[in-house]
């Protein structure tokens, strides 16, 4: 069967899903639901448009557990408590009796589990109400497609369908729907409502039947990932449920994963050549191991959505918003696509005025600027928008051979448990077409200059945009020229090439 990529030049990479077409994946952002301006705030709207988002995800991630779409914000303590009491949610074997007790428990436990952190965080924020009409404004102004993450914790299927109908009334096309966010997480509230794979699979069956009855063309994403005993046979249970109940509609179902390379102290010192290679190639090694751990091969009948990806690192944020973050992000996208054949990718997040969260827009200190990672995602967004014949091209650059010693032998928490060696090509070349016009996106992760010849891609003349910089810098150099023939690819650069007809 034809693979999504015609060339797989990383010999040790495993592709987990079969491919029906070579259309480019959809790329966009997790919608900003707090600590950010209104969608129609002029500076924000303009800067967001520079990211060229193809999709926006509503209402976001963990906030969907508590989301009240009619209010346009998360449930307060007093609003959430009845849901917990009705479902027999217990803390140390006891029910929470009063709102004051709920607040006290949250303050006491906020560092112990994501549930308490989330409740504390959302109640501490001044609401920036995000109603369906507001989201519709963003979808229209950005010419983006909507992805709805439904609330499977504190809402009902009928209430969520009512939300989708309201969105439809606001001229939002209902196509992409996620049945929950990270239902497989070790969050007290997700574990309580979905203690095992069967509980989630049963909900997916019931909700999907009603959703497809109302929106027969909808595409539905299910949260995947076998991570621990509670999640044993999680993917297998969902695959069986889809095949048993939706055999004629199975091509409308997808499996969702989230991927965040997590760097703990001490991080790789990217000013050192060997450490830089280990850092930049980390997703190739790490994602392969995680996919095996998550038993992603069990989902091979279905395509993948990656509705959240980015990196995580602790303060003082040695990577965040520096040029290396752009290079890392571009490579991260490449590895996700190559190893999962993802049909959708959402960068997390657009931005925040109070915390960087490795954002596409730097909003700190009254700024409103595209970050380095935002630049990388914007180039991928432009490259993949409405394009086809999307494939990874062969690279003639010399491979790196990278060894990750065991974290137990080198005392580096970022390294794998077992010593691992990988082969990695630092020159990544992708091509696609849009309305018969060829485009190429090149990421040179090496300190060496490379080159490509446009004639090899049947391109006579092209507009060439080059972006490059020093790894530690938060600024970068950009050059745009019309070129033909041999194109030089600078060290540590991302180059976008568009054919001139």
């Amino acid at each position: 069967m034809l693979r999504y990529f015609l060339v797989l030049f990383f010999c040790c990479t495993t592709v987990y899903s079969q491919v029906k077409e070579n259309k480019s994946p959809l790329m966009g952002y997790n919608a900003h639901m707090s600590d950010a301006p209104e969608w129609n705030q002029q500076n924000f709207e303009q800067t967001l448009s520079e990211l060229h988002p193809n999709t926006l995800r509503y209402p976001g991630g963990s906030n969907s557990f508590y989301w009240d779409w009619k209010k346009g914000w998360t449930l307060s303590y007093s609003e959430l408590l009845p849901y917990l009491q009705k479902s027999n949610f217990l803390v140390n074997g006891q029910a929470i009796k009063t709102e004051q007790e709920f607040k006290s428990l949250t303050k006491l436990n906020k560092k112990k589990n994501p549930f308490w952190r989330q409740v504390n965080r959302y109640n501490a924020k001044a609401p920036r109400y995000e109603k369906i009409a507001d989201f519709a404004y963003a979808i229209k102004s950005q010419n983006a497609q909507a992805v709805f993450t439904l609330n499977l914790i504190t809402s009902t299927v009928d209430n969520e369908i009512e939300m989708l109908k309201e969105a439809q009334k606001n001229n939002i096309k209902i196509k992409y729907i996620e049945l929950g966010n990270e239902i497989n997480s070790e969050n007290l509230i997700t574990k309580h409502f979905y203690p095992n794979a069967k509980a989630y699979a049963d909900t997916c069956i019931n909700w999907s039947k009603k959703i497809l009855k109302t929106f027969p063309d909808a595409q539905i994403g299910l949260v995947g990932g076998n991570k621990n005993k509670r999640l044993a046979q999680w993917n297998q249970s969902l695959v069986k449920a889809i095949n048993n109940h939706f055999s004629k509609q199975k091509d409308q179902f997808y499996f969702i994963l989230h991927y965040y390379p997590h760097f703990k102290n001490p991080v790789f010192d990217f000013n050192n050549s060997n450490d830089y290679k280990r850092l930049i190639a980390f997703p190739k090694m790490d994602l392969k191991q995680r996919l095996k751990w998550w038993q992603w091969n069990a989902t091979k009948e279905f395509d993948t959505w990656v509705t959240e990806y980015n990196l995580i690192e602790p303060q003082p944020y040695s990577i965040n918003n520096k040029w290396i973050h752009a290079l890392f992000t571009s490579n991260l996208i490449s590895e996700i696509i190559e190893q999962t054949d993802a049909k959708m990718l959402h960068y997390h997040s657009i931005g925040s005025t109070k915390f960087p969260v490795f954002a596409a827009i730097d909003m700190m200190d009254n700024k409103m600027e595209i970050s380095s990672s935002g630049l990388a995602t914007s180039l991928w967004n432009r490259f993949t928008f409405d394009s086809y014949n999307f494939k990874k091209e062969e690279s003639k650059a010399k491979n790196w051979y990278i060894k990750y010693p065991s974290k137990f032998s080198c005392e580096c928490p970022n390294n794998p448990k077992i010593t691992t060696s990988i082969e990695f090509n630092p020159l990544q070349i992708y091509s696609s077409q849009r309305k018969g016009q060829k485009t190429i996106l090149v990421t040179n992760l090496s300190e060496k200059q490379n080159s490509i010849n446009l004639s090899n891609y049947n391109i006579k003349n092209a507009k060439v945009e080059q972006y490059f910089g020093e790894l530690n810098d938060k600024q970068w150099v950009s050059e745009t020229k019309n070129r033909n023939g041999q194109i030089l690819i600078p060290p540590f650069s991302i180059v976008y090439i568009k054919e001139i007809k």
Side-chain angles (χ1 to χ4, degrees):
M1 180 176 285
L2 179 64
R3 294 287 184 181
Y4 186 73
F5 296 109
L6 300 183
V7 179
L8 292 177
F9 67 89
F10 291 143
C11 63
C12 60
T13 295
T14 302
V15 177
Y16 283 98
S17 62
Q18 297 177 344
V19 179
K20 304 176 183 67
E21 57 184 10
N22 65 339
K23 190 174 180 181
S24 300
L26 285 166
M27 292 192 181
Y29 300 91
N30 214 25
H32 72 300
M33 303 312 303
S34 59
D35 294 337
E38 301 284 344
W39 290 110
N40 61 0
Q41 202 269 352
Q42 186 174 3
N43 290 342
F44 174 66
E45 184 179 353
Q46 175 59 38
T47 307
L48 178 59
S49 69
E50 294 172 12
L51 292 175
H52 308 279
N54 300 325
T55 58
L56 293 172
R57 181 177 181 237
Y58 175 96
S62 60
N63 57 351
S64 66
F65 300 154
Y66 322 99
W67 191 253
D68 181 346
W69 68 267
K70 293 178 181 177
K71 184 172 70 168
W73 194 250
T74 50
L75 299 172
S76 65
Y77 285 109
S78 61
E79 293 168 329
L80 176 57
L81 183 56
Y83 288 95
L84 301 181
Q85 292 172 333
K86 184 178 180 180
S87 66
N88 196 33
F89 182 90
L90 304 179
V91 180
N92 297 324
Q94 300 294 322
I96 305 173
K97 297 182 176 61
T98 66
E99 180 182 348
Q100 185 56 49
E101 182 186 2
F102 192 8
K103 290 180 179 179
S104 298
L105 285 168
T106 299
K107 185 177 181 180
L108 180 66
N109 295 292
K110 64 182 180 181
K111 294 183 178 181
K112 295 182 179 180
N113 188 271
F115 168 69
W116 302 111
R117 285 199 301 274
Q118 291 159 3
V119 172
N120 179 73
R121 182 168 70 245
Y122 298 135
N123 279 278
K125 295 179 184 295
R128 189 190 68 72
Y129 295 107
E130 179 84 12
K131 295 193 175 182
I132 294 298
D134 300 311
F135 183 57
Y137 178 90
I139 291 297
K140 181 178 180 180
S141 69
Q142 302 301 324
N143 190 30
Q145 298 189 67
V147 179
F148 290 95
T149 308
L150 304 191
N151 180 352
L152 268 68
I153 303 293
T154 57
S155 186
T156 65
V157 62
D158 292 336
N159 186 45
E160 296 300 286
I161 288 176
E162 187 181 349
M163 176 190 72
L164 297 174
K165 288 180 178 179
E166 180 67 18
Q168 193 174 58
K169 290 178 184 177
N170 279 268
N171 299 312
I172 298 178
K173 184 177 181 180
I174 307 303
K175 187 173 183 180
Y176 303 108
I177 297 170
E178 293 182 85
L179 292 186
N181 171 82
E182 297 184 2
I183 299 297
N184 57 351
S185 65
E186 288 301 285
N187 186 314
L188 290 178
I189 200 166
T190 56
K191 290 171 67 175
H192 174 69
F193 281 92
Y194 298 98
N196 51 49
K198 185 179 184 303
Y200 181 57
D202 289 346
T203 298
C204 289
I205 293 167
N206 294 332
W207 283 49
S208 295
K209 285 180 178 179
K210 289 193 173 184
I211 289 168
L212 291 173
K213 184 176 181 180
T214 308
F215 303 100
D217 297 326
Q219 297 182 25
I220 299 175
L222 313 180
V223 177
N226 303 30
K227 296 180 180 180
N228 51 43
K229 290 183 180 180
R230 167 181 162 243
L231 306 180
Q233 300 299 303
W234 185 275
N235 292 339
Q236 292 86 340
S237 295
L238 291 173
V239 168
K240 183 178 180 180
I242 298 171
N243 286 328
N244 286 345
H245 296 273
F246 304 98
S247 59
K248 295 181 180 179
Q249 300 161 296
K250 64 184 296 181
D251 61 343
Q252 292 178 245
F253 287 85
Y254 298 76
F255 275 75
I256 299 165
L257 68 78
H258 291 172
Y259 178 51
Y260 293 91
H262 192 177
F263 296 103
K264 303 175 183 178
N265 285 322
V267 298
F268 296 113
D269 178 9
F270 58 78
N271 294 301
N272 173 283
S273 178
N274 287 332
D275 268 13
Y276 167 74
K277 291 178 180 179
R278 290 190 183 104
L279 170 64
I280 210 71
F282 187 85
K284 180 179 180 65
M285 178 273 297
D286 183 60
L287 180 56
K288 182 180 180 181
Q289 294 189 353
R290 288 176 182 264
L291 290 172
K292 183 178 180 180
W293 178 35
W294 296 334
Q295 299 181 31
W296 209 253
N297 189 53
T299 73
K300 62 185 178 182
E301 298 175 51
F302 302 88
D303 286 323
T304 296
W305 288 348
V306 179
T307 56
E308 287 184 25
Y309 73 95
N310 203 334
L311 62 80
I312 297 174
E313 68 164 343
Q315 292 183 1
Y317 309 126
S318 60
I319 302 170
N320 181 45
N321 285 351
K322 295 178 181 176
W323 182 244
I324 190 174
H325 196 181
L327 299 175
F328 186 92
T329 299
S330 189
N331 177 57
L332 178 58
I333 293 169
S334 176
E335 286 299 331
I336 289 172
I337 292 173
E338 183 151 3
Q339 295 197 47
T340 71
D341 199 11
K343 295 297 186 287
M344 181 188 296
L345 290 89
H346 286 137
Y347 188 73
H348 190 289
S349 66
I350 294 175
S352 169
T353 58
K354 294 183 179 180
F355 183 67
V357 288
F358 316 104
I361 300 176
D362 185 354
M363 301 181 188
M364 302 293 287
D365 302 320
N366 297 315
K367 289 184 294 185
M368 191 66 66
E369 301 171 354
I370 300 293
S371 68
S372 63
S373 61
L375 172 68
T377 57
S378 72
L379 292 171
W380 275 93
N381 292 342
R382 288 169 58 194
F383 175 66
T384 56
F385 174 71
D386 199 26
S387 64
Y388 56 94
N389 286 346
F390 173 81
K391 62 181 179 179
K392 191 168 189 177
E393 301 283 357
E394 184 176 1
S395 168
K396 295 182 180 180
K398 186 177 180 180
N399 283 354
W400 292 345
Y401 295 90
I402 304 170
K403 182 178 180 180
Y404 294 88
S406 164
K407 65 181 179 181
F408 302 112
S409 64
C410 67
E411 297 182 354
C412 179
N414 302 312
N415 282 12
K417 292 181 179 180
I418 301 173
T419 298
T420 304
S421 296
I422 65 169
E423 189 174 351
F424 182 85
N425 194 294
L427 186 67
Q428 300 167 353
I429 308 168
Y430 285 84
S431 66
S432 68
Q433 287 181 264
R434 184 182 304 111
K435 297 180 180 179
Q437 188 176 47
K438 297 183 179 71
T439 55
I440 300 173
L441 186 66
V442 185
T443 305
N444 183 9
L445 302 165
S446 171
E447 76 283 359
K448 297 179 180 179
Q449 179 175 270
N450 278 285
S451 66
I452 65 170
N453 197 315
L454 294 182
S455 63
N456 293 336
Y457 306 94
N458 295 318
I459 297 176
K460 293 182 178 180
N461 297 288
K463 179 181 178 181
V464 179
E465 301 174 32
Q466 297 181 333
Y467 302 87
F468 52 92
E470 298 295 327
L471 297 178
N472 264 316
D473 287 350
K474 289 195 173 184
Q475 299 298 320
W476 56 85
V477 177
S478 62
E479 295 180 356
T480 301
K481 293 182 179 179
N482 293 344
R483 296 285 178 87
N484 56 47
Q486 197 83 357
I487 305 296
L488 296 179
I489 309 298
F492 303 135
S493 67
I494 307 176
V495 179
Y496 180 75
I497 300 169
K498 185 177 181 180
E499 182 181 21
I500 299 175
K501 286 288 191 178

